[in-house]
Amino acid sequence: MVSAGANDGKTPPIVSLVAGGVAGGIEAGASYPLEFAKTRVQLRSQKGIPTPKNPFLVVTQVYQKEGLRALYKGCGSLVVGSIAKDGVRFLFFDQIKISFADPETGTLSPLRNLLAGMTAGVVASITAVTPTERIKTALIDDARTEKRFRSGFHATKVIYAEHGILGLYRGFVGTTLKQASATAFRMGTYNILKDFETTRDIPQNTLTNFANGSVAGVVTTLCTQPFDVIKTRSQSAQGASTAEAVKSVLLDYGVRGFWKGTTMRLGRTVFSGGILFTAYEAVAKVLNPLYSKMYDTIEEAAS
């Protein structure tokens, strides 16, 4: 991402971790109502009642019927998860792409960009994404049905008590497939665009970062939507296996059901993709000089 390190021109791991975590938290909080709307649409609805495709209409309806707090049900879980997820994703992606890069030019081919992103996505799913997404989805589903869960912490306790640690990893396969593909396309597309622009001396400013992030969000959504739908069904309040989730989508909506919520998710990912990468670049730009200064000070003291 940002090419500035202590002495070698590479992003230091601590900068990738902190900048990615801050960016993920900002992005999750700012775009949560659209994530809420998308999740509501993907969960099972009553037969014969049409589901709105306009995310802003869903947000408006929930606000009118259930109040502002309902729109942020599960937000805390997602923000915490996003801080961990994006910290890990940027950390591993920035380090993995160094080993994948061309030794002469320091850049990655499009395929290697995607492979680096895929690897980072798998690590993020195992360490942070699956359990936090499970809690967020369960909270949103529970709020429209049984209303058993009082908070993210309470939901975690109940799910763990009833199903053990595996209960928190419901939907692991679907989530990992989604994260591997989503991170590959999101991080890969962003870096492909950035490398292309760098070779043509296109300035990397806030507007460029936001535009690149938004384009990456569109590509990611269109390519990974089926995995997102399966993940959401698997992580409902009652939970389901990946096979059961796939079967339920086919029975309810047919093959087209795997793209349920695409419009909703596009509304979020275009916006969130721009925010995520813009925030990451801005935070890294602040942290890199601080890290370099600290690094130089330690080097001088050691010598």
Side-chain angles (χ1 to χ4, degrees):
M1 312 302 287
V2 178
S3 296
N7 293 318
D8 57 5
K10 297 181 178 67
T11 307
I14 188 64
V15 173
S16 298
L17 180 67
V18 174
V22 172
I26 293 171
E27 175 266 326
S31 62
Y32 189 76
L34 294 173
E35 171 69 14
F36 176 92
K38 181 268 300 182
T39 303
R40 269 279 178 102
V41 167
Q42 290 177 340
L43 291 165
R44 273 186 163 154
S45 56
Q46 291 176 280
K47 293 285 186 180
I49 300 178
T51 304
K53 294 182 178 181
N54 185 333
F56 299 102
L57 180 57
V58 175
V59 169
T60 301
Q61 289 178 348
V62 172
Y63 172 72
Q64 291 174 341
K65 294 178 181 178
E66 303 173 48
L68 182 62
R69 288 185 63 184
L71 288 173
Y72 283 88
K73 193 77 172 178
C75 182
S77 173
L78 185 67
V79 169
V80 170
S82 294
I83 291 172
K85 170 189 73 177
D86 286 306
V88 169
R89 283 203 301 191
F90 278 99
L91 168 65
F92 278 88
F93 183 80
D94 281 344
Q95 300 312 305
I96 290 167
K97 75 173 188 176
I98 292 171
S99 59
F100 282 12
D102 185 294
E104 294 183 5
T105 64
T107 60
L108 280 74
S109 66
L111 179 59
R112 289 187 177 189
N113 261 310
L114 294 175
L115 287 174
M118 186 179 296
T119 306
V122 171
V123 174
S125 178
I126 295 170
T127 57
V129 180
T130 300
T132 54
E133 282 282 327
R134 163 69 162 133
I135 298 305
K136 179 215 72 177
T137 305
L139 281 166
I140 292 174
D141 191 25
D142 179 72
R144 73 191 183 104
T145 53
E146 298 180 23
K147 296 180 171 59
R148 287 198 306 157
F149 304 143
R150 296 191 296 271
S151 64
F153 181 70
H154 181 246
T156 303
K157 285 177 60 179
V158 171
I159 291 172
Y160 181 77
E162 293 178 351
H163 305 289
I165 191 67
L166 292 179
L168 296 174
Y169 275 84
R170 282 277 193 175
F172 173 73
V173 174
T175 303
T176 302
L177 287 172
K178 180 205 166 186
Q179 283 302 312
S181 56
T183 306
F185 284 111
R186 175 172 271 198
M187 308 289 268
T189 300
Y190 181 85
N191 277 272
I192 290 168
L193 291 171
K194 185 172 180 178
D195 289 344
F196 175 82
E197 292 161 354
T198 301
T199 59
R200 283 157 180 76
D201 296 323
I202 297 174
Q204 295 299 297
N205 51 36
T206 299
L207 182 60
T208 308
N209 294 336
F210 194 93
N212 290 346
S214 296
V215 172
V218 172
V219 173
T220 301
T221 300
L222 296 178
C223 293
T224 65
Q225 188 63 19
F227 298 135
D228 191 62
V229 173
I230 293 168
K231 179 217 43 119
T232 298
R233 284 294 182 94
S234 297
Q235 296 180 329
S236 63
Q238 296 302 316
S241 68
T242 300
E244 290 169 342
V246 171
K247 183 179 178 181
S248 73
V249 173
L250 287 171
L251 289 173
D252 287 350
Y253 305 110
V255 175
R256 292 178 62 184
F258 290 108
W259 274 266
K260 195 81 171 171
T262 298
T263 304
M264 303 281 184
R265 192 168 167 226
L266 272 174
R268 177 176 183 260
T269 53
V270 170
F271 178 57
S272 67
I275 291 176
L276 178 68
F277 287 104
T278 302
Y280 176 83
E281 300 283 8
V283 175
K285 189 175 181 180
V286 172
L287 292 181
N288 270 314
L290 295 176
Y291 177 85
S292 295
K293 186 175 181 180
M294 181 181 70
Y295 183 90
D296 291 340
T297 301
I298 294 173
E299 285 283 289
E300 289 175 7
S303 60

